[in-house]
Amino acid sequence: MNNVAKIKVVMKEKLVRGLIGGLVGTIVFTLMGQYMAPKLLGQPMDVAALMAPMLGGSHTLGVIVHFIMGTFLFPMGYLMVGILNLKGPAPIRGAIFLTAIYLGAMTVMMPILGQGLFFNSMPKAMVALVAHIVFGLLMGAIIGKPNK
């Protein structure tokens, strides 16, 4: 079976689990930014607020985009690329995939958003890394490994 056929099978078998995993991961990620980050950084980390300037200043639109990315885009990317190409237990595969997303966010998106590389802050960068890893662990665990 070629790769396109394998991806179609994985999408058919895992789509609902992917959407659930992405939603759960996004909710936990968001809650970590709101409740864990202030204990470690003295302030919340709000992805929607970071994106708002690119979205006409709308925090609400930032929340919507954040949840679309986490619930749909990241799980779909994982189902198309990560699940078949990464090795190890399902949660570890998810964590590796979300670590790659994190690296892209820190080196491309944060500078575009005026936050600098890795927020120009080791503590903020570490909190964001932990949140991405937790997201990935949850998403990977919920999706599981591809069926044989």
Side-chain angles (χ1 to χ4, degrees), residues 11-81:
M11 287 295 237
K12 184 177 180 183
E13 293 173 348
K14 301 291 186 176
L15 180 61
V16 172
R17 293 179 77 86
L19 297 174
I20 293 167
L23 179 61
V24 169
T26 303
I27 290 169
V28 171
F29 179 96
T30 304
L31 292 173
M32 289 176 74
Q34 292 301 306
Y35 298 104
M36 183 186 83
K39 292 179 182 359
L40 299 171
L41 304 171
Q43 66 185 48
M45 291 184 71
D46 185 350
V47 175
L50 290 173
M51 290 191 290
M54 287 181 54
L55 303 168
S58 172
H59 187 269
T60 301
L61 194 51
V63 170
I64 292 167
V65 170
H66 170 58
F67 271 85
I68 287 171
M69 289 170 45
T71 303
F72 298 101
L73 297 181
F74 297 163
M76 295 306 103
Y78 177 71
L79 291 173
M80 289 189 283
V81 178

Side-chain angles (χ1 to χ4, degrees), residues 47-124:
V47 175
L50 290 173
M51 290 191 290
M54 287 181 54
L55 303 168
S58 172
H59 187 269
T60 301
L61 194 51
V63 170
I64 292 167
V65 170
H66 170 58
F67 271 85
I68 287 171
M69 289 170 45
T71 303
F72 298 101
L73 297 181
F74 297 163
M76 295 306 103
Y78 177 71
L79 291 173
M80 289 189 283
V81 178
I83 195 170
L84 296 174
N85 295 305
L86 297 170
K87 304 297 179 214
I92 300 302
R93 291 178 192 210
I96 292 168
F97 185 79
L98 260 291
T99 298
I101 297 292
Y102 163 82
L103 290 171
M106 292 300 114
T107 59
V108 177
M109 288 309 299
M110 290 308 108
I112 288 171
L113 295 171
Q115 300 296 309
L117 284 171
F118 295 90
F119 291 111
N120 291 327
S121 166
M122 185 62 74
K124 283 184 180 180

